[in-house]
Amino acid sequence: MKIDKAAIQEAVSTAHRDHSGDDGGKNASYIPYLASVDPSLFGVAVVTADGDVFEAGDARFEFALESISKIFSMALAMEDAGLNDFHDKVGADPTGDPFNSVVSVVLHGDSPVSPLVNAGAMATVSLIRADGAEQRWDKILAAQGAFAGRRNALSDVVNDSEQSTNFHNRAIAWLLYSGGTMYSDPMEACDVYTRQCSTLVTTVDLATMGATIAARGINPLTRERVISNPALVPPMLAEMTMEGLYTASGDWAYRVGLPGKSGVGGGMLAVMPGVLAIAAFSPPLDPVGNSVRGRKAVAQIAEALNLNLYNARDYSE
Ligand code: GLN
């Protein structure tokens, strides 16, 4: 499916213009660094599975990847543990609860339900095969860079801010350990998970990361095969549909129909398999934890380009 390049740039520019003035939402404040980011920043980008890049606004500003990191670590852990084992150990269902819910973990016998909530993401990190924390971290950072097509880096400022306030996640990690669903030292998994959230990307990087998923694991800019086994891609996209926007995932699927993933740094990503990825960044979040402008901009671009995974009629033409 080919989309006219002028139509993509028009959709990106229009979405940026239409939502620049939206002033709803608030920056995340439970991580002190995130509260300090300029709330007026707003970037939008599309990268196609063929490697064309379209952007508007602050699309080259570096922001914290946060929860969006979960999908890339999921690819590593699925590769190392195998699809079936990964599914058995981490689960794949929507939780219906906030991304940091302790209740959800307890209700399920101290086990995670999805790799895209904090509990499941820490269990995911613990399943990445490595000799200790540093090797595990190196694998995660290298994978993020390969998806983005450029080596991105840890922000010490963001990481310090998170590591000094992540007591809630540490509690979740110990709960998983007590339930036998943590596969490395729990504090090591929490530490590495916190680091993977504290790396910086631009909106263009994020769209490239999504386009790599859209292109079945081949980075369309570098042509590197980033996901060794293309069979890992459908479960990644399925899980994004189930839990990518937390308790708003169903609403997003109903209205937009594209696998998506958000982060409390203000990043927002949606993927149209085989075609392209749409990314946006803007720090103010809705109460669920999704970027207000990001959600609206990505949804608007998807609609303008007639992209909805469930709309079979359009893709058979
Ligand atoms: N680092 C954040 C946390 O663990 C990421 C959460 C998110 O982006 N939803 O709470």
Side-chain angles (χ1 to χ4, degrees), residues 100-256:
N100 61 356
S101 175
V102 170
V103 171
S104 169
V105 175
V106 173
L107 273 178
H108 294 91
D110 292 346
S111 70
V113 179
S114 156
L116 301 191
V117 293
N118 293 5
M122 288 188 281
T124 296
V125 165
S126 79
L127 281 169
I128 296 172
R129 209 178 299 131
D131 230 351
E134 294 319 309
Q135 211 182 78
R136 196 169 274 121
W137 164 240
D138 288 345
K139 280 176 83 168
I140 291 173
L141 187 62
Q144 288 187 10
F147 273 97
R150 85 175 172 99
R151 275 201 74 84
N152 64 325
L154 180 78
S155 161
D156 289 329
V157 178
V158 180
N159 189 44
D160 289 350
S161 184
E162 298 216 21
Q163 298 278 4
S164 57
T165 53
N166 67 353
F167 311 113
H168 192 97
N169 284 342
R170 287 187 224 177
I172 292 172
W174 279 119
L175 274 179
L176 297 179
Y177 185 72
S178 84
T181 56
M182 180 58 89
Y183 306 96
S184 72
D185 176 86
M187 291 303 92
E188 184 188 307
C190 184
D191 166 32
V192 174
Y193 161 76
T194 304
R195 288 193 240 173
Q196 78 174 28
C197 292
S198 304
T199 58
L200 299 180
V201 294
T202 68
T203 311
V204 171
D205 291 336
L206 188 55
T208 308
M209 293 166 110
T212 301
I213 303 173
R216 302 181 77 230
I218 295 176
N219 183 310
L221 302 187
T222 63
R223 310 304 308 170
E224 182 190 352
R225 172 162 283 294
V226 174
I227 302 173
S228 60
N229 178 2
L232 305 182
V233 171
M236 289 169 76
L237 292 167
E239 197 47 33
M240 288 165 72
T241 302
M242 291 297 120
E243 189 64 52
L245 277 78
Y246 319 116
T247 51
S249 302
D251 178 84
W252 179 258
Y254 186 99
R255 292 177 194 278
V256 182

Side-chain angles (χ1 to χ4, degrees), residues 266-291:
M268 172 71 208
L269 174 66
V271 176
M272 178 69 198
V275 183
L276 53 71
I278 311 167
F281 155 68
S282 178
L285 309 178
D286 62 22
V288 171
N290 299 313
S291 168

Side-chain angles (χ1 to χ4, degrees), residues 30-31 65-68 70 99-100 118 162 169 193-194 197 246 261-265 289:
Y30 73 98
I31 298 168
L65 186 58
E66 297 299 345
S67 206
I68 306 169
K70 290 166 180 159
F99 59 78
N100 61 356
N118 293 5
E162 298 216 21
N169 284 342
Y193 161 76
T194 304
C197 292
Y246 319 116
K261 186 71 201 88
S262 64
V264 292

